[in-house]
Amino acid sequence: TTNTWNTYTEQRKIQDGLIANFKPVVGYYLPTKEGGEIQIFDKDGRSFKFDNRSSRWINTINSNAGKGLPSDFIPVKGYAFTHTDGKNGRVHLWDKNGRWFVYVSEKSQWSDYTNLVSKRGLPAGKIPDVGYKDPYKNKVVLWYGNDRYESASGFDFVKVN
């Protein structure tokens, strides 16, 4: 069989609940008891979450602000992972100014971790190039250029190279 990419037209985006010309730059999938959450952000910070029940995108800008994410926060990097308890999840997002916000699923709340970057073993004032959960090592991995940082908890990191 051959897989083909079908263009996601502007008309289809609108039918699915997105706004015209929406182009995601950051997105994540967070595993949850309800089957998971997909959220995407564009370059202007507008965000949408996919609603599994309606199979539509829902505008989340107001709900994010209500849960502690500042209205002027525009993510440029981010990732999500299942916490070490295997039930709850975390989302880490950075903006262009290096602000770091963390979503803790069991609290349903965003918190500012910017001032904790160096205390968590990460380079201050820098934004990771890539972040992901390594399922083989069961660790969160962040790359800053050629430097790799790992964490079993997703909060306390160690530079490994």
Side-chain angles (χ1 to χ4, degrees), residues 8-60:
Y8 197 35
T9 65
E10 293 302 312
Q11 180 181 359
R12 183 59 197 250
K13 284 181 191 178
I14 294 167
Q15 288 173 347
D16 289 348
L18 295 171
I19 57 174
N21 299 313
F22 184 85
K23 292 181 178 69
V25 295
V26 174
Y28 65 81
Y29 168 77
L30 179 64
T32 66
K33 292 177 262 182
E34 295 80 32
E37 174 183 306
I38 300 169
Q39 186 158 313
I40 53 179
F41 297 82
D42 73 0
K43 67 179 180 56
D44 298 317
R46 294 176 293 200
S47 61
F48 290 84
K49 174 177 149 180
F50 192 76
D51 180 64
N52 291 319
R53 290 183 301 263
S54 67
S55 295
R56 291 182 48 81
W57 292 99
I58 307 297
N59 185 322
T60 56

